[in-house]
Amino acid sequence: MAAQQSPPPTNGNNNTNSRNSTGSDTSIADVEAAFLPEQGRGRRNLKDALAFKLPFMKKPLAQADADNDSVPKRHVRRYRWACVALSIVCLAFFAAFLAVELTHRSRGPTNGVELIVSRWGLPSPSSQQALTEWPTDFSRDITPIPCHSHNDYWRKVPLYDALAAGCTGVEADVWLDPHKPNELRVGHTRKSLTAARTLTSLYIDPLLTILNNQNTPTTATGAATNITTKVGVFNSSPNTSLTLLIDLKTASEDTFPVVLKLLQPLLEAGYLTTWTRDKGLVRGPITVVGTGNTDFMDILSPENSSPRAIFFDAPLPGLSNLTPSPLDLQYNSNNTYYASVSFDVEIGKPWLGMMTQEQVVRVRQQIQGAKIRGLVSRYWDTPAWPVRAKEGVWRVLETEA
């Protein structure tokens, strides 16, 4: 009798389409039918799909099939749910990205200030038209807020960017022009000075243009009952005065007289806050404050007293006395507007992001001392980071003020 030939080896598996002893697994054919259409697909796509190993699997599907000759149904279900979940995550991410883009997409200017900012730097005559074709809604929808545009000349569009944000204060550092003694250049350092950036070109002439147009019979609005009542730059709050803080970088004895001369057009038009012995303090659309090298004696000089058009920026630390003597009242609303100090130097850094009780008391005394004298307290160089420290300092200043 011939010897019976044994069947070929099967790598430990008798049939690739057979079920295991439990009867709960599915074959490769079942998986292929589940993942791929019956027509137009080949087995190659199935092998590629089974080559992936998901986090919940100990082995890839293809390896599981090689080891066990079958793919557990739970793996098939998990794979399907993983695909669905991944699709949902991708769609959610795309929807969020689209929403952000639509929300923050650029919009056209809604008032005259934004129109000037948007046209700034365009080829002539567009940038000139922004200044000459005056819009009647110059500052519509802009709400003035007590913010100060420090080193305003660093903005993309000096003055106008600050007005568009609603800032009620702008700052210009001025230097005596060695080539033109009757002009003041604007910049943070001598190296940054240019002949085109002057106090007149960046601030005085634009403010004169703004206020002349704001006070014509067709554009004067708000609290103005007649054309003799001067309105300010903000349509929504015509009585709000814009503070022009002029930081003298060169000697006061040489620079202060030039500032007075350059301010004459605004003064003669009645746009400046002034003080006289007869009328006292009269608020105007613009309040000019001298700081930096400005000498207090120049503020009190006869040249600046009939009327007084430039006011002083007093040192805030010296105003902590809440029961001042007449001598301590040398800084008052007749000659001074601001009382300022560096927060970092005078108060110090917040400990662990929070101001100490001693720091809060010192701030309170200084602010109250300024209030007694009719002055506006101003802290510069406040913390910018971390956010907790910045917001904590702001809350204290807001509460005490």
Side-chain angles (χ1 to χ4, degrees):
M1 180 180 293
Q4 187 175 2
Q5 186 177 3
S6 61
T10 60
N11 296 327
N13 297 314
N14 293 329
N15 190 340
T16 57
N17 291 324
S18 64
R19 296 178 178 272
N20 61 13
S21 59
T22 61
S24 60
D25 295 334
T26 185
S27 66
I28 289 292
D30 294 334
V31 176
E32 183 173 8
F35 279 96
L36 302 173
E38 294 180 358
Q39 298 179 353
R41 299 283 184 174
R43 192 173 182 84
R44 179 180 178 182
N45 291 337
L46 175 63
K47 292 181 178 179
D48 292 340
L50 296 180
F52 287 97
K53 176 179 179 296
L54 297 177
F56 56 79
M57 297 181 179
K58 294 182 178 179
K59 300 179 181 179
L61 290 178
Q63 184 64 37
D65 176 70
D67 293 345
N68 302 321
D69 193 30
S70 61
V71 179
K73 288 184 178 180
R74 64 179 182 276
H75 285 181
V76 176
R77 289 194 299 268
R78 289 180 180 179
Y79 184 80
R80 290 175 178 174
W81 281 112
C83 292
V84 172
L86 182 61
S87 300
I88 294 176
V89 170
C90 292
L91 288 175
F93 179 80
F94 177 76
F97 175 80
L98 185 62
V100 170
E101 286 296 313
L102 293 176
T103 303
H104 293 86
R105 63 180 178 178
S106 59
R107 58 180 178 80
T110 61
N111 52 59
V113 179
E114 293 181 355
L115 178 65
I116 292 173
V117 171
S118 66
R119 290 183 175 181
W120 198 268
L122 294 178
S124 183
S126 296
S127 59
Q128 296 299 323
Q129 291 177 352
L131 297 173
T132 57
E133 297 177 1
W134 194 258
T136 56
D137 58 348
F138 172 71
S139 55
R140 182 188 66 185
D141 299 333
I142 298 178
T143 302
I145 56 177
C147 71
H148 177 75
S149 182
H150 180 63
N151 293 342
D152 178 76
Y153 47 85
W154 280 345
R155 312 295 172 197
K156 179 181 178 182
V157 186
L159 179 63
Y160 292 99
D161 272 338
L163 295 181
C167 290
T168 55
V170 294
E171 177 183 345
D173 296 346
V174 299
W175 305 72
L176 196 62
D177 192 332
H179 305 290
K180 296 180 179 179
N182 293 325
E183 189 56 273
L184 296 173
R185 295 189 180 186
V186 175
H188 195 61
T189 62
R190 286 189 181 275
K191 292 182 179 180
S192 65
L193 303 180
T194 62
R197 296 170 65 85
T198 66
L199 182 65
T200 298
S201 64
L202 293 183
Y203 296 98
I204 294 179
D205 282 351
L207 286 172
L208 193 60
T209 300
I210 292 172
L211 293 173
N212 283 341
N213 283 278
Q214 288 287 89
N215 285 278
T216 59
T218 57
T219 58
T221 57
T225 56
N226 54 67
I227 200 58
T228 60
T229 303
K230 304 299 182 182
V231 300
V233 298
F234 298 106
N235 288 2
S236 62
S237 182
N239 292 329
T240 296
S241 183
L242 177 71
T243 304
L244 176 59
L245 184 65
I246 302 179
D247 189 339
L248 272 58
K249 294 298 185 181
T250 45
S252 182
E253 60 180 349
D254 299 322
T255 313
F256 191 85
V258 180
V259 176
L260 274 177
K261 183 178 180 179
L262 296 178
L263 290 174
Q264 284 304 305
L266 291 170
L267 178 62
E268 293 172 357
Y271 296 144
L272 297 184
T273 296
T274 59
W275 176 88
T276 59
R277 292 186 179 275
D278 297 334
K279 297 182 180 180
L281 188 66
V282 179
R283 295 288 184 187
I286 306 293
T287 300
V288 181
V289 181
T291 188
N293 288 333
T294 302
D295 193 327
F296 184 59
M297 297 310 298
D298 286 330
I299 297 292
L300 302 179
S301 66
E303 292 78 11
N304 188 45
S305 298
S306 56
R308 179 170 294 141
I310 303 178
F311 296 82
F312 195 54
D313 182 18
L316 184 56
L319 308 183
S320 299
N321 187 1
L322 302 184
T323 56
S325 63
L327 183 61
D328 292 333
L329 291 175
Q330 62 173 331
Y331 304 125
N332 55 70
S333 58
N334 295 338
N335 53 51
T336 304
Y337 182 77
Y338 275 139
S340 307
V341 72
S342 166
F343 186 93
D344 185 59
V345 173
E346 175 63 19
I347 306 300
K349 298 185 182 298
W351 179 253
L352 297 178
M354 299 293 293
M355 293 180 62
T356 65
Q357 185 62 29
E358 180 183 355
Q359 289 174 323
V360 173
V361 170
R362 192 181 311 161
V363 166
R364 180 179 302 137
Q365 290 176 346
Q366 292 176 355
I367 292 177
Q368 291 301 319
K371 281 184 178 181
I372 291 174
R373 296 163 175 82
L375 310 181
V376 177
S377 53
R378 183 176 71 95
Y379 288 95
W380 50 276
D381 198 17
T382 56
W385 188 89
V387 176
R388 180 188 181 193
K390 178 183 69 175
E391 294 181 347
V393 169
W394 284 4
R395 282 193 295 268
V396 171
L397 294 179
E398 182 181 11
T399 300
E400 299 301 329

